Amino acid sequence: MVIEFNRQRTIINENIQLMTAQWQQHIEEILPPIIVQCRDYKPIEFKFDSDSSIEEAIAAERDKYYVKAIEATSKQTAYENYKLAAKLGHLNSQLICTCEANLDSYEIIEHRTISEKMEMAKCGDVKAQNVLGLHLKYGIGVAQDDVAAYKLFKMAAAKGDINARNNLGCCYEQQIGTVKNERLAFEQYYIAAINGNALAQNSVGLYYDKGYGVDRNPALAIRWYKKAAAQENVYAQSNLARCYENGKGVDVNYEIAYKWYSRAARNGGGTEYYELGKCYEMGRGTSQDFRHALKWYLKAAEEENEKAAFRVGIFYEEGYGVEASEQMAVSWYAYGARLGNASAQVRLGMCLETGMGIKKDMEMAFYWYRKSALQKHPYGTYQTARCYEYGIGTSEDISEAVKFYTVASELNVLHARLSLSKFYYWGLGVKKDTERAKELLHEVVMTDVELQYKLATGQLLYCNDAWSLYWFRHAASLGHAGAIYSLGRCYADGIATAVDLEKAHACYKTSAQKGYLPAQMALGQYYIEQANQEEAIYWYTMAAAQGDAQAKSILRLIAGKKLL
């Protein structure tokens, strides 16, 4: 996979210009495979050159960091090297980083074999019991056995091992080797937290935050997040940042949120990089800077963060902080879509349907629309329904169209309700129900004056005269020039109301003053009939200024005294 390859081969330069150039080169090299993948639904296979020794180099680098971690004289240095080795695929290092609070145990017994650890655990060594429990939990070096892991954590916790307490809490929370019990999970986390375990402190904060196993208390959540964040726990730093960003337990403060997102990004991975990218993109807590936003989004995408991949695609499409490139945008949308991001799937479908940055392919457009619809993405659901209605990339199927329009309508896509009303009105794919059709239309047009006017003129659905008059009045009350003019015609011709020439004239004048051409022409005709040459010339001149040929012709006739 190109992202993985790029991560292993280079460390992104802090200079955004150089970093962008590197990514541009790599992505352009694999653009055709990405497009092929879109058709075949297979993972991209990046082929190294035959003389490449990249795998050996990665293995050597991985082992180097692991050895440095074991030989480190401080916990912090050890963890930093474990993290580097973990990123390069070292299993035991990944295990350590998954539960960094267990690092003390690893510093003591990591060099032992699995057999030796088992023997130590049998002899009552609590650290060995905890570490062996982790091996069993994750299936590293031994067959995965959740029940055995749970029992070992429980034994070590009973003897006072704080890290085991935290791991036991995880078992109760995640139903590992035992039944799920949020109350017991909270109790174990709390004991570990008051004894300084950073992971447990974050978990206690989360439980107070969400109300898991304990009454919800945002203020206490903040207190525990801060304790864990002070120990550089990346999860707590991110949680604390979100609280300040959203005003949960504290007042909204984007500057403090930005500070914690920055610290989390220094310690974390894809999620933390993505959140910091959002701060720069939106200018929250810091000045808006698209180039810095792109840098952090790229780093997050490097860690397979699906949201970041989508944002990178948007940046390339719109030219935010980088030269706009439709092909690069499509590549990133394709990557985000494969990672499962519904928004990227919709955007990729749109590119495939319109031919933006990629050859048109209606079948693939439908495929990605439907993938996003299965995740209940509102617009993706609407597009899927549209494909079924018109046979775009799939067979025409009105019943399926109705089904997806219904879901999109429930997801508040107004145009889905508009389409659905048509099916109910004509009884297509659903039992005919004109009242339901009107209800759906009412929900839609109440939010859009232009749609109200179109409904009144019969462009959306057949309207009788009384219904047209109702919607002309509604749109006119909101200042729609065309509706005001049409309402005037209703008064002039007695359509669904009594003839009232004064009201008709007032409507024409109001509409004409808004620049509506038909109303200006109607006023000109009215004043000709009233033998008012000055007013007639004024309104025909206004219409002629908009390029109306008939108005110009009438003005010439007036000048030649062939009218009036």
Side-chain angles (χ1 to χ4, degrees), residues 177-369:
T178 185
V179 296
K180 183 180 179 70
N181 190 317
E182 291 180 347
R183 183 184 61 80
L184 289 178
F186 177 78
E187 289 177 0
Q188 297 302 320
Y189 285 143
Y190 193 83
I191 294 171
I194 61 177
N195 283 279
N197 184 290
L199 279 173
Q201 289 170 345
N202 175 66
S203 294
V204 170
L206 186 64
Y207 271 51
Y208 276 125
D209 192 354
K210 303 296 184 181
Y212 297 153
V214 67
D215 291 338
R216 189 171 178 274
N217 192 322
L220 283 177
I222 293 292
R223 184 185 302 176
W224 284 105
Y225 284 151
K226 284 182 176 180
K227 287 178 179 291
Q231 295 194 62
E232 299 301 327
N233 181 275
V234 64
Y235 309 113
Q237 290 169 343
S238 290
N239 288 332
L240 195 54
R242 290 190 188 94
C243 288
Y244 278 105
E245 181 181 18
N246 300 314
K248 294 177 62 177
V250 288
D251 293 333
V252 172
N253 190 315
Y254 292 136
E255 287 74 19
I256 296 179
Y258 166 73
K259 181 192 78 171
W260 284 112
Y261 278 136
S262 297
R263 286 183 65 173
R266 289 200 302 268
N267 296 317
T271 301
E272 292 70 39
Y273 300 153
Y274 169 74
E275 294 295 344
L276 186 56
K278 275 175 52 182
C279 291
Y280 281 114
E281 181 183 357
M282 302 174 71
R284 285 188 170 179
T286 184
S287 57
Q288 188 177 52
D289 189 328
F290 289 137
R291 293 161 69 84
H292 272 77
L294 178 62
K295 181 186 78 170
W296 288 105
Y297 283 148
L298 285 168
K299 286 174 71 68
E302 190 184 347
E303 302 289 333
E304 300 190 355
N305 183 286
E306 60 178 57
K307 293 180 181 178
F310 170 65
R311 294 310 304 166
V312 173
I314 293 292
F315 273 47
Y316 271 108
E317 181 177 345
E318 302 296 337
Y320 296 152
V322 68
E323 183 179 351
S325 169
E326 291 182 350
Q327 282 195 330
M328 287 291 290
V330 171
S331 297
W332 284 103
Y333 292 147
Y335 181 60
R338 286 174 46 248
L339 291 175
N341 184 271
S343 296
Q345 290 167 350
V346 173
R347 208 76 169 199
L348 180 58
M350 293 171 63
C351 293
L352 288 160
E353 183 177 358
T354 62
M356 192 200 85
I358 191 173
K359 185 179 178 181
K360 285 187 178 182
D361 189 328
M362 299 306 179
E363 290 184 6
M364 281 305 304
F366 169 72
Y367 170 81
W368 287 112
Y369 285 149

Side-chain angles (χ1 to χ4, degrees), residues 542-555:
M542 294 294 288
Q546 295 193 58
D548 188 83
Q550 185 181 4
K552 293 177 182 178
S553 177
I554 292 173
L555 286 171

Side-chain angles (χ1 to χ4, degrees), residues 514-536:
K514 288 177 173 289
Y516 193 65
L517 179 61
Q520 292 171 346
M521 292 295 291
L523 271 182
Q525 179 63 33
Y526 172 81
Y527 285 116
I528 284 178
E529 293 172 356
Q530 298 295 315
N532 188 333
Q533 180 174 317
E534 184 179 350
E535 283 293 319

Side-chain angles (χ1 to χ4, degrees), residues 417-432:
R417 294 176 187 172
L418 195 61
S419 299
L420 201 55
S421 67
K422 176 178 61 180
F423 291 112
Y424 275 107
Y425 187 84
W426 296 108
L428 299 173
V430 68
K431 185 179 179 180
K432 185 173 182 177

